[in-house]
Amino acid sequence: MPTQGQPILRAVATSTRPLYQLLRCINFAPTVHVQITEDGIRFAADVVRVMQGVAFLDSTLFTAYTVNLPQSEDGAPPELPNFQIPLSALLEVLQIFGAVDVATRAQKAEQDAYRGNFRNYRTDAFSNQTLGISGTCTLLYAEEGDAFKITIEETGVKTTAALTTYVPEIPEQIPFDRDDLTFKIIMQSRSLLECLAEISPTAPVKLAVTTTKTSPYLALSGTGDLGSAAVDFARGKELLEVFTIQERWSQSYRFDFIKNSTEAMRIANKVSLRGDGQGVLSLQFMVDVEGGKRSFLDFRFVPFTQHAGDDEEDEEATNENDDT
């Protein structure tokens, strides 16, 4: 149990924009796994066995952050509180507060041909920050099994939403062997986003990622029903800030899964691409948020060849059932 009379978590923010920005990047699963730590709140979305995305809301993103972890009777380290919530519901609540986030403005601008990209990322002239309107957003988790509450207060108006928490189904983390890295590349995330945009019109099913010690260093190619397309990063340090390649490495991934990380590519400054000896691809995004702070988003992908067989087995089982 937490300290008598004290909630497990109470976090207060004066702006929900960075929270919304980060959480929207992993909005590809119906529910997210939430873990409360003394350093921040970890949100993990999971597509079983093939893809995972993690957004960590560091305690520095909040003006006040208090955690009272349940104490164990035997003196062992306290267990970190875990539960699941529907992420889409949390995002809807966060949009109530203050300015619309950068990602939403960019999405709306795609429907307006007269707004340029630079303008999309400027502060809204009617945002709370610009108008000087004060407000707070409080995240509260009182005790195990309780609802996850979000209270938004602006100009004397208070709104409280209570999201039902579910028994956690803790996803097995996709293993990534940092001691067996085949390559590591750091580049501008916008370059990676533009690369996928060039490949996307061919409706690719698979995306092949290939790294080599010599030019083109990094190559991405997509193959689909409408044809194929490829983009090479052959100019080395002009496009790739850091590249360490042990040996040639080539793996294929479901394009739709990689596409789930494009929102992170859109708001991040840089991305670190890493591949290990077993073929797992790691994308770690660095995001600059309000107040000169930085946050990180992590995505991991299992190679297409490792889970393609599962689909074939399911199809064979279906055919057998049809025959009977």
Side-chain angles (χ1 to χ4, degrees):
M1 295 290 293
T3 305
Q4 187 66 29
Q6 296 295 321
I8 292 177
L9 168 72
R10 185 177 184 276
V12 181
T14 55
S15 172
T16 59
R17 182 185 297 175
L19 312 184
Y20 184 91
Q21 266 189 320
L22 296 170
L23 293 176
R24 189 172 185 270
C25 293
I26 61 168
N27 189 25
F28 56 82
T31 60
V32 288
H33 177 75
V34 183
Q35 186 177 66
I36 297 172
T37 75
E38 293 182 342
D39 297 323
I41 313 171
R42 183 181 185 270
F43 292 81
D46 178 76
V47 177
V48 181
R49 295 185 297 169
V50 293
M51 175 187 178
Q52 290 176 341
V54 175
F56 186 74
L57 303 187
D58 194 278
S59 60
T60 59
L61 295 178
F62 302 92
T63 54
Y65 186 87
T66 305
V67 171
N68 293 283
L69 298 179
Q71 300 298 316
S72 58
E73 296 180 358
D74 56 2
E79 292 187 7
L80 298 177
N82 294 277
F83 53 88
Q84 284 186 322
I85 57 173
L87 180 57
S88 59
L90 175 58
L91 291 174
E92 289 181 10
V93 174
L94 291 178
Q95 287 186 90
I96 297 173
F97 180 79
V100 180
D101 70 293
V102 172
T104 299
R105 291 204 304 276
Q107 184 178 16
K108 288 182 178 180
E110 291 176 358
Q111 303 172 2
D112 186 349
Y114 296 97
R115 297 185 64 182
N117 288 335
F118 179 73
R119 187 178 174 185
N120 296 343
Y121 290 87
R122 290 179 177 175
T123 303
D124 194 323
F126 297 97
S127 70
N128 278 13
Q129 289 82 352
T130 303
L131 296 175
I133 300 174
S134 61
T136 59
C137 172
T138 302
L139 307 181
L140 184 70
Y141 185 60
E143 59 184 8
E144 186 176 354
D146 198 11
F148 187 68
K149 297 179 180 179
I150 305 98
T151 299
I152 294 172
E153 186 171 3
E154 291 183 280
T155 61
V157 179
K158 181 183 293 187
T159 304
T160 299
L163 302 183
T164 301
T165 57
Y166 301 92
V167 176
E169 296 178 4
I170 303 177
E172 293 185 8
Q173 190 172 18
I174 294 176
F176 183 75
D177 192 350
R178 294 180 175 83
D179 296 326
D180 187 25
L181 286 184
T182 303
F183 78 91
K184 177 179 180 180
I185 293 173
I186 297 178
M187 60 189 295
Q188 296 294 314
S189 61
R190 177 66 62 172
S191 298
L192 185 58
L193 178 63
E194 292 172 351
C195 170
L196 294 184
E198 291 187 30
I199 296 174
S200 184
T202 62
V205 175
K206 295 188 296 184
L207 179 72
V209 180
T210 303
T211 61
T212 55
K213 290 185 176 182
T214 57
S215 181
Y217 307 110
L218 173 64
L220 282 75
S221 60
T223 304
D225 295 336
L226 301 181
S228 60
V231 176
D232 294 343
F233 293 85
R235 289 180 289 168
K237 290 188 175 180
E238 294 181 27
L239 292 174
L240 309 178
E241 297 185 13
V242 174
F243 57 95
T244 302
I245 300 172
Q246 302 299 328
E247 58 186 21
R248 187 182 186 278
W249 187 94
S250 184
Q251 297 287 349
S252 295
Y253 305 88
R254 283 280 297 271
F255 185 83
D256 286 346
F257 292 154
I258 300 292
K259 192 175 180 180
N260 283 334
S261 64
T262 54
E263 186 60 38
M265 298 178 196
R266 184 172 289 112
I267 70 169
N269 302 89
K270 298 181 181 181
V271 57
S272 172
L273 297 84
R274 298 176 297 171
D276 68 6
Q278 60 185 352
V280 174
L281 176 66
S282 167
L283 301 182
Q284 186 179 66
F285 297 93
M286 183 182 75
V287 182
D288 287 340
V289 296
E290 295 176 352
K293 301 180 179 66
R294 285 180 174 173
S295 289
F296 293 89
L297 296 159
D298 290 288
F299 291 82
R300 292 182 182 181
F301 305 89
V302 172
F304 187 88
T305 54
Q306 289 190 21
H307 58 83
D310 298 337
D311 297 334
E312 294 174 359
E313 291 176 3
D314 293 340
E315 184 175 349
E316 290 177 1
T318 301
N319 294 335
E320 290 177 1
N321 293 333
D322 293 341
D323 293 338
T324 59

